[in-house]
Amino acid sequence: MSEQPKVRTTEGVVQGRRRQGHAVFRGIPYAQPPVGALRFAAPAPPHRWEGTRQAVEFGPVAPLSLPIDVPPQGGDWLTLNVGTPDPGAAGLPVLVWIPVGGYLSAASSDPMYDPAALAEAGVVVVTINCRVGAEGFAFLDDVPPNRGFLDQIAALEWVQHNIAAFGGDPGRVTVGGVSAGAGSVAALLTMKSARGLFRRAIAHSVPGLYSTPALARQVTAAFADRLGATAPTAEALRDIDPWRLAAELTSFNAGLHAHRESWGRLTEAGTALCPVVDGEVLPETPWPALTGARASGTELLVGHTRDEFRYFSVVSGRYGTFTEEDAHAALKLHAPQPDGARAYRAAFPQAGPEELVETVYSDALFRMPSQKLAEANTAAGGTSHLFELCWTAPALGGILGACHSLDVPLAFGTLNSPVGTQLIGEEPTPDAIALSRELREAWVRFVTTGDAGWPAHRPGEHLTRVLDTESKTLPYPEHASRQIWEGHSPAPFDLP
């Protein structure tokens, strides 16, 4: 067997391993561990090393603020992984994937993001770890805000400096993500410090999770008080164990409903500490920045699933239980003001409480932010290829519908990953395999050429690729919701 692959990066030599016809390098630091004096600080450049560094194991994940059992890991959170068809190649397209969920987790080691199928198609795939939860997004008085975004920028800078050594083209970098990862992509489109670091963007299920400084300051102060900290500062929190901090945030998030009168829409988001429109790191939200020509458009592949909210209603045990009171509350909190609630009832006159709740949550949390990002990017001079996934997940008797995150294992070709089997089943059907191939080929074509394979979104046409057993390009399917949201961009959470 041939010698294991080695690559010289700007910090030193890394040795990976060959796997399924491609080379993988894991756990490469793109910044120093953000612990000790560097905790809550902006990412610092990585240290150099002598000799050869083994790059065969994933780096530790940042502390997760999710109700799942993950053992505490080391503090070297700011690492990335590279899967490449051939380190000796040149000019290959590059996909940098940001695996952030809810701004609460970021695990590049998730088998759902296995690069094998994309590498086989000729794409260099980079997956990154970055700070999330309180480490990445607590709005502290004495350190930079949105540190998770700063980590992502540091990773993209590393890619610019190093990816050619892995066979990639630094001029053909696509940044991508789903859910909060897609929100990260949308934010990067507006950030001056990210300009020139990527050429294209993929955003699946873009959320509108941003806070104003006034709200973020109040929420962070309440969280710090819960911890017994003297102030909402890095100095006051620095000695608290990171995994304890993550666990406390999990509990804090679980009790958000108690603050509905004080914190409004944020209490329905599931995460108290989300990105802050601070005016410096993140100057403004993506939609007005793009439509107002304060950010430049790019080549964008963006879309959402038909039944975005279904996954959350099923997992929480609420599916099938929503009442008229729930529908009233959902419309009051999430329909665009002042007439959105009336408009939803007029547009969906036959809808019961269950359908109204699912529609308004799907729209407000993911569908409208995604669709409006396509419009805004087009208005800014970019090209936007829009899709909606309408294929029903076979698992659980089809109850999940075309739910949130179903598109990701399809695109990566990781149908047998834990998430893939949870949604698609132990034995992927021929329809699942065919749709996975179609979406993956669209990704490969897009990162290579900037064309996803169907007409770009244009004002007045709103053409959309509807992904299903038989995919078609049609006018935007959620036309009624789009009309309700006409003239309304997703607004940052604010004090009521």
Side-chain angles (χ1 to χ4, degrees), residues 193-228:
S193 52
R195 290 178 185 169
L197 298 181
F198 59 92
R199 180 174 178 178
R200 303 180 177 116
I202 295 174
H204 285 219
S205 302
V206 183
L209 300 179
Y210 302 94
S211 284
T212 64
L215 176 59
R217 186 169 287 110
Q218 190 174 115
V219 172
T220 303
F223 181 58
D225 185 64
R226 173 192 177 95
L227 295 165

Side-chain angles (χ1 to χ4, degrees), residues 324 327 331 344-345 348 351-361:
E324 179 58 35
L331 290 167
Y344 267 102
R345 293 192 183 275
F348 302 96
E354 187 86 14
E355 184 180 346
L356 280 172
V357 168
E358 289 207 350
T359 300
V360 72
Y361 269 98

Side-chain angles (χ1 to χ4, degrees), residues 153 156-157 160 187-199 283-284 289-290 293-297:
I153 289 171
L156 287 166
E157 290 173 340
Q160 285 297 307
L188 291 169
L189 295 177
T190 74
M191 298 168 68
K192 292 181 180 179
S193 52
R195 290 178 185 169
L197 298 181
F198 59 92
R199 180 174 178 178
E284 57 183 322
L290 288 164
R294 292 180 294 279
S296 300

